[in-house]
């Protein structure tokens, strides 16, 4: 008689079926940043999408807030191994921002106030996969969590969701961002544990 019954896989923590490999669940929202926290006044905030030809499409805060927005509930996964389930946001889909913009680009580089950058394949920002979020938990997004607005790309590790975002450059060639140049994985899929170069 087998010691372990067929099909038995052991006891799992509640919610662990949704946890990527090596992640652990948190109920708070840890704050991790590469440098000082910018304090960006919405009166001078701008968001610019720049195409590979140099054409710029810019929104100030008033124009950005006039765009259609939606509520989003997503799980977050940080490269430092914490995950948070069911986070509630409100934001403008990147699809909305890119509507009507002609581009042959295959890559994107998100830019932030303070000089932070991160790179992504453009297709990871499309089809309802990414937003510029301005509210979290029913309140305006605080500077500590990237306010007044941050990129939100929940299917990748959280460093790809650039805080204090000020624009997205569309690129025909991939250009590694801040952490990617320092050894973090170029893509960052939490389900494949793509934390660092070589993963």
């Amino acid at each position: 008689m087998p010691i372990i019954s067929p099909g038995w896989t052991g006891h799992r923590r509640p919610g662990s079926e949704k946890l990527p490999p090596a992640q652990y669940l948190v109920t708070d929202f840890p704050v991790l940043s590469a440098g000082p926290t910018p304090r960006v006044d919405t009166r001078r905030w701008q968001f610019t999408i720049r195409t590979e030809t140099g054409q710029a499409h810019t929104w100030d805060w008033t124009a950005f807030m006039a765009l259609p927005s939606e509520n989003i509930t997503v799980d977050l996964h940080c490269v430092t191994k914490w995950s948070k389930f069911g986070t509630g946001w409100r934001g403008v889909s990147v699809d909305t921002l890119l509507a009507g913009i002609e581009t042959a680009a295959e890559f994107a580089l998100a830019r932030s106030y303070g000089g932070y950058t991160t790179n992504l394949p453009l297709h990871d920002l499309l089809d309802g996969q990414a937003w510029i979020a301005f509210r979290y938990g029913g309140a305006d997004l605080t500077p500590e969590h990237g306010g007044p607005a941050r990129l939100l790309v929940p299917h990748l590790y959280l460093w790809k969701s650039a805080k204090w975002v000020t624009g997205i450059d569309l690129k025909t060639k991939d250009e590694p961002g801040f952490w990617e140049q320092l050894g973090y994985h170029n893509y960052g899929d939490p389900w494949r544990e793509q934390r660092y170069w070589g993963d």
Side-chain angles (χ1 to χ4, degrees):
M1 177 177 293
I3 297 175
I4 299 176
S5 300
W8 189 82
T9 58
H11 297 290
R12 299 173 67 89
R13 292 173 296 169
S16 62
E17 67 279 0
K18 292 168 49 179
L19 277 173
Q23 296 289 112
Y24 65 90
L25 193 61
V26 300
T27 55
D28 59 343
F29 195 161
V31 175
L32 301 169
S33 301
T37 298
R39 307 286 169 168
V40 182
D41 191 327
T42 54
R43 290 173 296 183
R44 64 179 181 86
W45 181 91
Q46 286 189 327
F47 181 84
T48 299
I49 293 179
R50 192 176 304 277
T51 71
E52 69 276 20
T53 63
Q55 185 177 15
H57 304 262
T58 301
W59 296 259
D60 63 13
W61 189 254
T62 300
F64 174 73
M65 294 300 289
L67 294 171
S69 60
E70 57 192 281
N71 293 322
I72 313 123
T73 301
V74 293
D75 300 338
L76 303 179
H77 307 295
C78 182
V79 70
T80 60
K81 298 190 176 182
W82 62 262
S83 291
K84 184 174 177 63
F85 289 167
T87 62
W89 306 78
R90 189 166 186 86
V92 176
S93 171
V94 175
D95 293 306
T96 297
L97 293 162
L98 288 172
I101 296 179
E102 294 186 8
T103 181
E106 295 183 6
F107 303 98
L109 185 73
R111 298 187 177 276
S112 299
Y113 289 94
Y116 179 83
T117 58
T118 190
N119 58 304
L120 310 96
L122 182 56
H123 65 75
D124 282 280
L125 299 179
L126 304 177
D127 299 325
Q129 297 185 94
W131 300 263
I132 305 300
F134 55 87
R135 289 178 67 81
Y136 169 73
D140 290 344
L141 189 59
T142 62
E144 290 75 18
H145 290 304
R150 73 177 294 163
L151 180 61
L152 182 64
V153 191
H155 66 282
L156 299 178
Y157 280 125
L158 197 54
W159 91 80
K160 293 291 188 178
S161 295
K163 295 195 279 189
W164 318 297
V165 70
T166 186
I168 296 173
D169 294 347
L170 305 180
K171 303 276 189 179
T172 56
K173 294 182 179 180
D174 199 12
E175 181 179 323
F178 177 84
W179 285 118
E180 294 81 7
Q181 293 181 52
L182 293 176
Y184 278 39
H185 198 278
N186 202 51
Y187 185 61
D189 183 345
W191 296 98
R192 296 161 64 187
E193 279 199 271
Q194 292 178 335
R195 302 177 195 277
Y196 308 110
W197 289 352
D199 287 348

